[in-house]
Structures are given as C-alpha cells and as structure tokens.
Amino acid sequence: MGQIEWATWANEQAIASSVIMIAGGIVGVTGIFKLSEFAIYSIIAGVLVFLVEYPRGKRKKGNTMERMGQHIVTPAVRLLGPVTRNYFVRFTIYLLLCIPCYIILPTILGGMCLLITSIIYFVAALKGEQWLPVPRTDNTQGATLVASEPPMHPPPRAPAHLRTGPPLLRGKQGEARHDSNDTPPESPNQI
C-alpha cells in the first residue's frame, strides 16, 4: 500500500472547516445570540483559512489537479513564506484560531472541524511534509484527448516481434479470412 499524504487530506478538511465556520458565523450574526462578536470572528477566520487553503500543494507522487483559479491566490500564499509552507506553523495557527469558536453555539462545529484540521496538519508535519506550489504549465485548460486506432488483435496479444502478416478477420461462421486481397489459406491448420 502507498503512503498517505496527510497534507492533501488536511487541505480538503480545512476548506470544509472554513465553509462551516463561515456558515456558523452567519447563523450567529443573524440569530438571537449574545456575544455575536465571536460569530463575526468566525466569519473572518473562515475567510482567511479559505484563502490560505484554496491553492492545493504539490503532491510528492503523481499529478496534482489545480483548483479553478488557484493560480490567482498562489502568489499571495507563497509570499507568506514559512507561515504557509511549514505545517507545524499551520497546526499552531489553526489550533489558536479554533478556540474562540467554542464560545457560542453556532460556531462550535466550525471550531471542531478546524481542530481536526490542525491535528491532521500536525501529523503531516511529523511526517516531514511541507507545502510547495503546484508548478504552472502551459496547458492549464486540461489535457486534450488524442484519438488512437483500436487494437487489431484481441487480448492476449502476442509480443510485437512475433506478430507477422496481415491481421485475420472472422467470417460469418467462424472461418478465418485474410484482410488483404491475398488468397485464403487452403486448410484451417495453416492459420
């Protein structure tokens, strides 16, 4: 089995946490809750977490699929340097950001999600992972599919050096016939 890239999981968890924090903050502001200042804090913290987490980091193995518009936010995240690159720092910041979310009811769920995010980032930091920007390629619109010819022989195929002659096609009653204008074989044993 392959190794888990914890940072990828933490990034998706952080995006979900930020949306939940924003939603809880909106409920806290519009509802009849005392201490609605913490709901406003939850909205602001959720937006900041979303902006920091929106650009995906480069994976160690395989390809990394960019989010739409990620190239716009990536330079700003890159400018923050070790604050965004180091997962120990993210763990600490998210751990501190989630504490005020436990004061009023609508923001508790967002705070719990952010706490889980910080724990996942702590595991990623212990595994030695760090955030690196996804390199920008010229073909960012997606890969274009190239039509290829269908296979000539059904699987299992013989190695290429053993295949000789024109491919055989099956007739109506299972008899073999040649694809070209050559004369058909005289006996079935010659096929």
Side-chain angles (χ1 to χ4, degrees), residues 140-164:
T140 57
Q141 300 298 326
T144 57
L145 296 177
V146 178
S148 61
E149 294 295 321
M152 297 300 291
H153 301 287
R157 295 178 185 92
H161 66 278
L162 295 179
R163 286 187 241 148
T164 57

Side-chain angles (χ1 to χ4, degrees), residues 84-186:
T84 56
R85 192 175 338 126
N86 189 344
Y87 289 146
F88 279 117
V89 175
R90 282 196 193 186
F91 157 71
T92 307
I93 290 173
Y94 291 164
L95 188 64
L96 295 174
L97 281 177
C98 77
I99 293 171
C101 293
Y102 293 112
I103 295 178
I104 62 172
L105 183 63
T107 60
I108 288 177
L109 184 60
M112 290 173 55
C113 290
L114 198 61
L115 176 67
I116 293 169
T117 300
S118 68
I119 292 169
I120 298 169
Y121 269 127
F122 183 68
V123 173
L126 289 178
K127 299 287 183 178
E129 298 177 25
Q130 68 175 354
W131 185 84
L132 296 171
V134 178
R136 186 100 166 117
T137 59
D138 292 335
N139 187 11
T140 57
Q141 300 298 326
T144 57
L145 296 177
V146 178
S148 61
E149 294 295 321
M152 297 300 291
H153 301 287
R157 295 178 185 92
H161 66 278
L162 295 179
R163 286 187 241 148
T164 57
L168 294 176
L169 300 175
R170 291 282 166 198
K172 289 183 179 176
Q173 297 179 354
E175 56 207 35
R177 60 181 176 86
H178 281 278
D179 190 21
S180 65
N181 291 334
D182 296 339
T183 58
E186 296 172 5

Side-chain angles (χ1 to χ4, degrees), residues 65-78:
M65 187 172 177
E66 282 187 333
R67 290 190 172 104
M68 187 172 57
Q70 173 175 334
H71 62 279
I72 298 168
V73 184
T74 301
V77 174
R78 188 183 302 164

